[in-house]
């Protein structure tokens, strides 16, 4: 069983790493992952060995011992309160952006900023030439005022000290520990200077109250802005969840009643008017309409839907009134399931994140050591305590594992969300990253790059009858011979419909499964089937028909023979046609440097015809279903990183064998379950699109990691004062705190650029 827990109290990648390691120590839990981006803990456990309630209790215990908190799920409230709450949410969403940010940050932050402004005026106003009260010229009075102004800031932001010192006590210091030590050291030193001046008015020394307060406030502001920016990375998930309307028109005893969508039961009939979003997954009972699914699948054009067709929640009914029988609703609906899949993928670890995780695991202890080293070195070098303290505190507050920890998950989250908006679902962060390394794309043929259903190509006649007459009689035999049309019969009947031909009921119809059918149509005996069936029925076959049939076979077409009153009078060629977008998709893949392979169980001629039309050079044909995985493995052994694209049951093993399996969401369930990537619509142009998104995400992750590492590599030596002897460079702790917060914000904003690049 898989469970997710919302965690409070995590502020950096080190927090997430510490919690993840703590949970992994419990043998009952597997596949443990903690996301600092969503503050979610996900894991799996065996229900036979551990009940859900026991698992909850165990997790709560582990999380609390690690210094965090599990957010308990609130019981469901009456509908009235839910409506009131939703109205409050809507009013907040419609409020100006500064009010939204104020609500997100909390009043404590704004009070801290107000006290900080006053504190900075007292501490630095004279240096800036601002008018100062006379009593502040006494440094003892000024120090007391600064302390009084700093105390509310320390109280409001006490969480840094509570969490930071607790993490030190547990022996696993986090980012809060660095902030607490830096700010706390500045406060303690300033109090020492103040007491010394009160006792001895002639004593000297500089106050660092403003630095201590500034560190806390700047980092709090940075976290608030970072949180707002991080919310934008999850906007795709939120948009999916908002696709489903809150109310549904339910048909009850012949009357339409508006009820909350959560109250709709499976089997209920929902009425959807033109222009409204469909609230449930279901099957159309009555009505026809064009359905806009662009927000859900990225499909640009509306799709016509009729009675018997399935529709998804979140899609928009553009024309007629529909009556839909509910199949899935709420958490089981398509938008909710897609959102869950994206969230689950985000919770996983991308390979590039492992480097950042390893660094974050040892980062804080290393910084603590460097800070102590800087303090001790400058004291030993003859510098003042103030100088040494400045270097030590600056080293503590400028060091930021947050940027490293956010580098991968922010880019992954945005990439997954943007892909989902285009109908491309990556099941894991690893799949999103691995897809970029693919150099060979293998396509199944039938149903993947072809329509998957045969259609009529050409109709050839000897001149004894017209092409329409031949097709009319063929459709009559096929339509009336059996209750269920097989694919070839359906192709002929559909072509007759397309041409506006009627197909009257024949008499004396006899069906020979696998061979053909014959019967009387309009007074003539017609025979339809294979060449062998014609020979068995002693139907004469002219040489010109044989020649045309051979021509069809050479072109990859399947000829269906038509005889009238004892002689073959024509052929109907049937083929599985190429999808309209297949050639373009293959062209884009080849332009990007990927090798494209067609893998099919069909014969070499048919496969070669389709491959030529699609622009595919490499063809592997006549492959049994069990051999498809072997063919993929052979390509891998040659050093290729292979993506397999398929939709059928016989593709499942090959999808698992491939480095990245890509399944069409319209295909067989087993293929979808076996794949790493799901294309929600049967559009193979989604494959190069998915590769493009994967490339953009990987580039973005590398940019984030580079700047996060580069920032620390440059910032820490400056903060320690290593460049002071040569260039005279030092770093104020306040500037260090601002730079630390800015680094995290920059990483998130860089990830958000994917919204425009993808």
């Amino acid at each position: 069983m898989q469970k997710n827990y919302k965690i409070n109290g995590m502020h950096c990648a080190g927090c997430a790493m510490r919690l993840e390691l703590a949970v992994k120590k419990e043998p009952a839990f597997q596949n443990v992952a903690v996301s600092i981006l969503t503050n979610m803990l996900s894991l799996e456990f065996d229900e036979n060995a551990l009940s859900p309630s026991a698992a909850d209790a165990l997790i709560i215990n582990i999380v609390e011992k690690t210094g965090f908190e599990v957010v308990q799920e609130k019981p469901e409230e009456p509908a009235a309160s839910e409506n009131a709450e939703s109205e409050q949410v809507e009013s907040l969403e419609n409020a100006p952006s500064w009010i939204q940010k104020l609500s997100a940050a909390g009043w404590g932050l704004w009070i801290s900023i107000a006290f900080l402004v006053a504190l900075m005026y007292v501490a630095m106003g004279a240096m800036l030439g601002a008018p100062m009260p006379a009593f502040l010229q006494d440094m003892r009075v000024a120090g007391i005022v600064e302390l009084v102004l700093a105390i509310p800031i320390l109280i409001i932001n006490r969480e840094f000290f509570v969490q930071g010192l607790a993490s030190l006590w547990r022996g696993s210091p986090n980012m809060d520990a660095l902030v607490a030590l830096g700010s706390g050291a500045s406060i303690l030193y300033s109090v020492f200077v103040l007491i010394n001046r009160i006792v001895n008015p002639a004593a000297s020394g500089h106050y660092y109250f403003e630095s201590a307060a500034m560190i806390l406030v700047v980092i709090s502001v940075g976290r608030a802005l970072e949180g707002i920016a991080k919310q934008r990375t999850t906007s795709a998930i939120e948009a999916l969840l908002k696709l489903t309307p809150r109310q549904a028109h339910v048909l009850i005893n012949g009357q339409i009643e508006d009820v909350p969508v959560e109250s709709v039961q499976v089997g209920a009939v929902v009425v959807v008017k033109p222009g409204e979003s469909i609230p449930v997954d279901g099957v159309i009972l009555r009505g026809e309409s064009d359905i806009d699914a662009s927000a859900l699948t990225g499909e640009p054009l509306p799709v016509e839907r009729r009675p018997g067709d399935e529709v998804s929640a979140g899609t928009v009914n553009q024309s007629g009134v529909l009556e839909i029988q509910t199949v899935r609703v709420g958490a089981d609906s398509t938008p909710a399931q897609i959102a869950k899949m994206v969230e689950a993928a985000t919770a996983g670890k991308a390979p590039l994140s492992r480097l950042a995780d390893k660094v974050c695991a040892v980062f804080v202890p290393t910084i603590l050591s460097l800070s102590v080293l800087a303090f001790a070195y400058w004291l030993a070098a003859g510098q003042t305590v103030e100088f040494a303290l400045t270097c030590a505190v600056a080293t503590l507050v400028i060091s930021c594992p947050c940027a490293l920890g956010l580098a991968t998950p922010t880019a992954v989250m945005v990439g997954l969300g943007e892909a989902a908006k285009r109908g491309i679902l990556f099941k894991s962060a690893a799949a999103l990253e691995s897809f970029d390394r693919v150099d060979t794309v293998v396509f199944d043929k039938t149903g993947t790059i072809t329509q998957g259903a045969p259609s009529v190509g050409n109709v050839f006649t000897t001149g004894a009858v017209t092409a329409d007459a031949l097709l009319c009689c063929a459709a009559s035999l096929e339509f009336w011979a059996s209750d269920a049309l097989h694919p070839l019969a359906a192709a002929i009947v559909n072509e007759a419909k397309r041409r506006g031909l009627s197909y009257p009921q024949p008499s004396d119809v006899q069906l020979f499964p696998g061979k053909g059918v014959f019967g009387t149509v309009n007074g003539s005996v017609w025979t339809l089937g294979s060449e062998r069936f014609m020979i068995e029925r002693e139907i004469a076959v002219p040489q010109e028909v044989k020649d045309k049939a051979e021509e069809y076979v050479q072109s990859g077409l399947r000829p269906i023979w038509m005889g009238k009153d004892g002689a073959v009078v024509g052929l109907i060629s049937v083929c599985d046609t190429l999808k309209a977008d297949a050639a373009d998709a293959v062209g884009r893949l080849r332009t990007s440097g990927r090798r494209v392979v067609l893998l099919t169980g069909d014969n070499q001629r048919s496969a070669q015809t389709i491959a030529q039309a699609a622009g595919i050079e490499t063809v592997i044909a006549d492959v049994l279903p069990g051999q498809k995985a072997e063919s993929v493995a052979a390509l891998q052994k040659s050093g290729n990183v292979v993506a397999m694209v398929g939709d059928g049951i016989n593709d499942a093993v090959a999808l698992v064998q491939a480095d990245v399996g890509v399944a069409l969401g319209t295909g067989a369930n087993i293929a979808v379950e076996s794949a790493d990537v799901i294309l929600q619509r049967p559009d193979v142009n989604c494959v190069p699109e998915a590769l493009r998104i994967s490339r953009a995400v990987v580039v973005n992750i590398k940019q984030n990691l580079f700047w996060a590492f580069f920032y620390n590599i440059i910032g820490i030596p400056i903060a320690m004062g290593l460049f002071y002897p040569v260039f005279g460079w030092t770093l104020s702790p306040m500037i260090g705190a601002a730079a630390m917060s800015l680094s995290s914000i920059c990483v998130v904003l860089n990830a958000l650029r994917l919204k425009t690049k993808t």
Side-chain angles (χ1 to χ4, degrees), residues 407-706:
T408 299
T410 49
V412 167
M413 172 63 89
V414 176
L416 290 171
E418 292 303 303
K421 285 164 58 176
R422 290 161 173 77
I424 303 166
L425 301 180
F426 289 89
K427 285 187 177 181
S428 67
L432 177 62
E433 184 182 322
S434 299
F435 209 17
D436 177 59
R437 297 186 290 105
V438 167
D439 56 32
T440 302
V441 180
V442 179
F443 283 103
D444 169 56
K445 183 179 80 70
T446 306
T448 301
I449 65 169
T450 67
Q451 297 292 346
S455 60
V456 172
N458 300 313
V459 179
F460 167 78
T461 71
T462 59
V465 294
T466 64
D468 282 354
L470 186 76
L471 193 60
C472 171
C473 293
S476 296
L477 293 175
E478 292 285 25
F479 184 81
W480 295 100
S482 174
D483 292 336
L485 294 177
H486 61 78
L488 294 180
I492 292 173
V493 172
N494 289 336
E495 180 64 18
K497 287 181 181 179
R498 190 186 69 81
R499 297 191 183 195
L501 304 176
S502 61
Y503 28 94
Q505 183 173 1
S507 59
D508 303 324
V509 179
Q510 293 189 45
L511 175 65
F512 296 83
K515 294 183 179 180
V517 59
F518 70 87
T520 301
V521 183
N522 296 331
S524 298
V525 178
W526 287 85
T527 305
L528 177 151
S530 64
E531 181 181 13
R532 179 175 296 178
F533 187 59
M534 298 297 154
I535 295 173
E536 290 179 1
R537 300 291 303 167
E538 297 182 350
I539 308 295
V541 182
Q543 186 60 43
E544 64 173 320
V545 177
K546 290 183 179 180
D547 294 341
K548 178 58 70 172
E550 181 62 25
E551 180 183 325
Y552 283 161
V553 171
Q554 292 294 333
S555 300
L557 305 176
R558 178 173 179 173
I560 296 176
W561 302 63
M562 286 291 295
K564 177 186 178 184
D565 296 330
V568 174
V569 295
L571 299 168
I572 300 174
S573 68
V574 178
C575 62
D576 188 5
T577 56
L578 190 70
K579 286 182 177 178
D581 58 352
D584 181 50
V586 171
R588 291 174 63 186
L589 290 171
R590 293 182 63 180
T591 301
S592 68
R594 269 89 179 186
R595 177 189 179 193
V596 183
V597 177
L598 182 64
L599 178 63
T600 178
D602 208 346
N603 64 73
Q604 186 69 33
R605 285 176 179 169
S606 297
Q608 200 66 49
T609 300
I610 292 295
Q612 186 175 358
I616 301 174
E617 295 182 348
T618 306
V619 178
I620 305 175
D622 296 309
V623 177
L624 296 174
Q627 296 175 325
K628 284 191 173 183
E630 297 175 5
S631 300
V632 171
L635 291 169
Q636 290 171 319
K637 288 179 181 178
S638 301
N640 299 300
V641 180
V642 180
M644 172 71 194
V645 186
D647 73 327
I649 295 174
N650 58 354
D651 299 320
V653 180
L655 291 171
V656 174
Q657 174 64 46
D659 296 283
V660 180
V662 183
L664 272 62
T666 53
N669 286 340
I670 188 171
V672 172
E673 292 171 1
S674 303
D676 304 297
V677 184
I678 301 171
L679 309 181
Q680 287 187 271
R681 61 182 192 271
D683 181 354
V684 289
N685 248 321
C686 287
V687 177
E689 184 72 5
L691 285 164
R692 186 182 65 81
I693 292 174
S694 176
R695 170 97 288 252
V697 169
V698 169
V699 169
N700 194 275
I701 290 173
K702 290 179 178 179
Q703 289 172 346
N704 285 347
L705 288 174
F706 170 79

Side-chain angles (χ1 to χ4, degrees), residues 68 175 194 204 230 252 311 389 447 510 610 647 685 696 703:
F68 308 113
M175 185 62 207
L194 176 59
S204 62
K230 281 163 65 176
I252 302 175
V311 290
L389 182 64
Q510 293 189 45
I610 292 295
D647 73 327
N685 248 321
Q703 289 172 346

Side-chain angles (χ1 to χ4, degrees), residues 374-396:
F375 183 79
Y377 172 80
W378 288 116
L379 283 181
Q383 289 290 345
T384 64
V385 174
E386 291 181 7
F387 183 89
L389 182 64
T390 298
C391 292
V393 172
T395 302
L396 288 172

